Amino acid sequence: MLFRSPAQALIAIPEHREIARALSAYDLIGLQTHRDVRNLIDFFQQSVFGSLLPSGRIRACDSELDIGCFPVGIDTNDFATSASIERDSENPEMNRIIGIDRLDYTKGLPQKFRAFGQFLEEFPEHRRRIVLSQFAPPTRESVEAYADIRSELESLSGAINGRFGELDWVPINYIHRPIPRRELRDVYRSSRVCWVTPLMDGMNLVSKEYVASQDPEDPGVLVLSKFAGAAEQLSDGVLVNPYDRNDMVQGLRRALEMPIDERVARHEKLASVVWTSDSDAWGSTFFNALVKAGKRRT
């Protein structure tokens, strides 16, 4: 997450030169996105007068090192299935929007809830036809900022449910606990939309897990924040700006109203990326690059 920030922000850290010197001791530094790589190169250049060599390596603090982009993958076989799962056996007209995020201020959860409330206000035809199921496992509950965001989410979900809910329909299922891993695949597969809205994220594997879990003949739609590291690879999802509520609303509408042929076409491209850059590919690619970097170190 550190190098998601521009070099100027990193240089504001009083110990930035010590950080640069420590990093220069490595043969290879692997980061999640090409943007992170650019940020780190800029950081070396501006903090310790590092230079980019013709070979593509960085010279800094009397050392040479490699910096590469190695986006982490998932075990796709863990999420793929050939079984057909009914999205809602009791109400086939109901479309679930799934969110699975740690209870963290970087995940954009208040922004998501506010956008969902605005969506229900602007598009009443979708009421009673959708439900947002948001899992938010607790983290760092002793820290005041995390207690504040939990309170805010409970207040927002209560207000939206109170305003739009009916006796037999609750718009938001806000669940403040983890979901068992053995249940994840089926939850993903039974959801029409996966809504991933971090304000900043190193990668975000929920987005990849969702893609791997889908039925290729009737896939759901990934709505993904532009500020998630995964957005660089998963550009065929519906990309949204979580700081722009209207953009979030329109992205959700597009996902829910997307025709089957577009859903299938987008999923084919997303699945190709997820399957070819899985955890095995990630590990072997990084290991091979590390071996080469070690041999080149002077």
Side-chain angles (χ1 to χ4, degrees), residues 87-192:
R87 283 201 154 82
D88 191 325
S89 58
E90 295 182 359
N91 184 0
E93 297 298 319
M94 184 66 68
N95 290 314
R96 177 188 291 128
I97 304 161
I98 189 68
I100 300 179
D101 307 90
R102 288 181 295 104
L103 187 65
D104 190 294
Y105 59 88
T106 66
K107 297 299 183 179
L109 296 178
Q111 288 82 354
K112 181 189 296 187
F113 280 19
R114 291 190 180 96
F116 188 66
Q118 181 172 322
F119 179 86
L120 295 176
E121 174 67 30
E122 294 185 6
F123 303 105
E125 65 272 21
H126 283 282
R127 297 176 194 172
R128 298 182 60 85
R129 297 178 58 193
I130 59 174
V131 60
L132 172 59
S133 297
Q134 178 64 56
F135 285 85
T139 57
R140 306 179 182 91
E141 288 191 290
S142 61
V143 179
E144 185 176 354
Y146 292 87
D148 290 344
I149 192 172
R150 177 179 178 179
S151 177
E152 183 178 11
L153 291 177
E154 291 172 350
S155 177
L156 284 169
S157 60
I160 292 169
N161 287 339
R163 181 178 180 188
F164 298 104
E166 299 179 22
L167 184 62
D168 57 349
W169 174 63
V170 179
I172 298 181
N173 301 144
Y174 170 54
I175 305 163
H176 183 57
R177 61 172 172 77
I179 181 172
R181 185 171 178 80
R182 65 181 181 277
E183 298 176 13
L184 268 176
R185 183 188 63 184
D186 292 349
V187 170
Y188 285 139
R189 195 175 175 92
S190 64
S191 300
R192 175 58 72 193

Side-chain angles (χ1 to χ4, degrees), residues 2 29 58 76 83 86 131 151 153 166-167 172 229 260 273 286:
L2 179 63
I29 298 176
I58 295 293
T76 49
E86 186 68 39
V131 60
S151 177
L153 291 177
E166 299 179 22
L167 184 62
I172 298 181
I260 181 66
V273 171
F286 183 83

Side-chain angles (χ1 to χ4, degrees), residues 37-293:
V37 170
R38 291 192 296 270
N39 287 342
L40 181 54
I41 291 173
D42 289 345
F43 172 65
F44 273 122
Q45 291 175 326
Q46 296 183 38
S47 63
V48 291
F49 304 102
S51 57
L52 184 60
L53 303 176
S55 64
R57 308 189 83 201
I58 295 293
R59 181 162 188 82
C61 303
D62 298 322
S63 298
E64 291 184 11
L65 67 149
D66 286 290
I67 302 174
C69 178
F70 305 94
V72 67
I74 63 169
D75 181 353
T76 49
N77 292 320
D78 215 19
F79 292 92
T81 176
S82 59
S84 178
I85 297 174
E86 186 68 39
R87 283 201 154 82
D88 191 325
S89 58
E90 295 182 359
N91 184 0
E93 297 298 319
M94 184 66 68
N95 290 314
R96 177 188 291 128
I97 304 161
I98 189 68
I100 300 179
D101 307 90
R102 288 181 295 104
L103 187 65
D104 190 294
Y105 59 88
T106 66
K107 297 299 183 179
L109 296 178
Q111 288 82 354
K112 181 189 296 187
F113 280 19
R114 291 190 180 96
F116 188 66
Q118 181 172 322
F119 179 86
L120 295 176
E121 174 67 30
E122 294 185 6
F123 303 105
E125 65 272 21
H126 283 282
R127 297 176 194 172
R128 298 182 60 85
R129 297 178 58 193
I130 59 174
V131 60
L132 172 59
S133 297
Q134 178 64 56
F135 285 85
T139 57
R140 306 179 182 91
E141 288 191 290
S142 61
V143 179
E144 185 176 354
Y146 292 87
D148 290 344
I149 192 172
R150 177 179 178 179
S151 177
E152 183 178 11
L153 291 177
E154 291 172 350
S155 177
L156 284 169
S157 60
I160 292 169
N161 287 339
R163 181 178 180 188
F164 298 104
E166 299 179 22
L167 184 62
D168 57 349
W169 174 63
V170 179
I172 298 181
N173 301 144
Y174 170 54
I175 305 163
H176 183 57
R177 61 172 172 77
I179 181 172
R181 185 171 178 80
R182 65 181 181 277
E183 298 176 13
L184 268 176
R185 183 188 63 184
D186 292 349
V187 170
Y188 285 139
R189 195 175 175 92
S190 64
S191 300
R192 175 58 72 193
V193 174
C194 182
W195 207 5
V196 183
T197 60
L199 307 177
M200 179 182 288
D201 219 342
M203 176 51 61
N204 191 286
L205 296 183
V206 165
S207 56
K208 295 187 175 185
E209 293 169 355
Y210 179 76
V211 169
S213 302
Q214 294 306 294
D215 177 357
E217 296 182 0
D218 184 22
V221 180
L222 174 65
V223 179
L224 179 62
S225 165
K226 296 175 182 178
F227 304 110
E232 189 172 280
Q233 289 182 291
L234 305 181
S235 58
D236 287 289
V238 177
L239 301 186
V240 296
N241 178 359
Y243 294 96
D244 183 343
R245 194 182 306 175
N246 290 326
D247 192 42
M248 293 263 280
V249 168
Q250 291 303 320
L252 180 58
R253 182 188 187 190
R254 184 177 183 184
L256 289 168
E257 298 178 359
M258 188 176 293
I260 181 66
D261 56 342
E262 184 179 353
R263 285 194 279 119
V264 169
R266 284 175 176 267
H267 177 262
E268 287 178 352
K269 294 176 182 179
L270 292 171
S272 176
V273 171
V274 171
W275 282 84
T276 57
S277 60
D278 64 3
S279 55
D280 287 340
W282 171 64
S284 61
T285 301
F286 183 83
F287 181 77
N288 292 336
L290 180 60
V291 171
K292 291 180 181 178

